[in-house]
Amino acid sequence: MIKLTFALVRRPELTREQFQDYWRNTHAPLVASVRDVLRIRRYVQLHSLPAEASAGLQAARGGPEGFDGVAQLWWDSFEDMAGADGEAARAAGALLLEDEKRFVDLSRSPLWWGTEHVIF
């Protein structure tokens, strides 16, 4: 199982509430509509609480500014993902990226591949 983790920062003209509403009610259904084409096994959104909720913890640890949310997408393997229909998968990926540009500050939103190791 491989996982894509995407730490999202909203576009500056959006409030946290506007960002999270668009992400959950517009972008999520779009992801769901292409899940089979892209062979996505699971998609989860983690929405941040207001910044004040994490301010003390962030200050105590000397941490960076937080994110507005985190998306995680699962695939069985790189090989399974690569087996998706090339043309349709490219079109689906382009569709998602164009929509992400409407609400995500892509230049401040890191993403990375990883494998999950459940500890308990």
Side-chain angles (χ1 to χ4, degrees):
M1 187 72 61
I2 60 165
K3 186 186 294 188
L4 178 65
T5 300
F6 192 4
L8 306 169
V9 176
R10 70 181 181 267
R11 290 178 53 100
E13 69 273 14
L14 299 175
T15 66
R16 186 177 63 80
E17 293 77 14
Q18 289 170 323
F19 165 84
Q20 291 178 346
D21 179 68
Y22 186 92
W23 184 26
R24 184 171 188 181
N25 296 307
T26 302
H27 189 71
L30 191 61
V31 175
S33 76
V34 296
R35 71 181 292 184
D36 292 336
V37 170
L38 294 175
R39 296 187 173 188
I40 300 169
R41 174 73 90 142
R42 185 172 185 205
Y43 172 54
V44 174
Q45 294 180 349
L46 176 61
H47 291 233
S48 68
L49 295 175
E52 321 66 84
S54 301
L57 182 60
Q58 202 172 4
R61 299 177 66 88
E65 188 176 327
F67 300 108
D68 294 294
V70 173
Q72 294 185 318
L73 296 94
W74 282 255
W75 284 267
D76 288 328
S77 66
F78 277 122
E79 295 75 23
D80 183 62
M81 184 180 58
D85 176 8
E87 186 65 32
R90 278 189 292 282
L95 178 72
L96 294 179
L97 178 59
E98 282 307 307
D99 191 57
E100 288 165 2
K101 291 176 183 177
R102 292 185 177 103
F103 69 105
V104 178
D105 182 343
L106 295 172
S107 69
R108 296 177 50 217
S109 300
L111 65 158
W112 63 94
W113 290 104
T115 57
E116 186 173 83
H117 300 273
V118 177
I119 307 304
F120 61 86

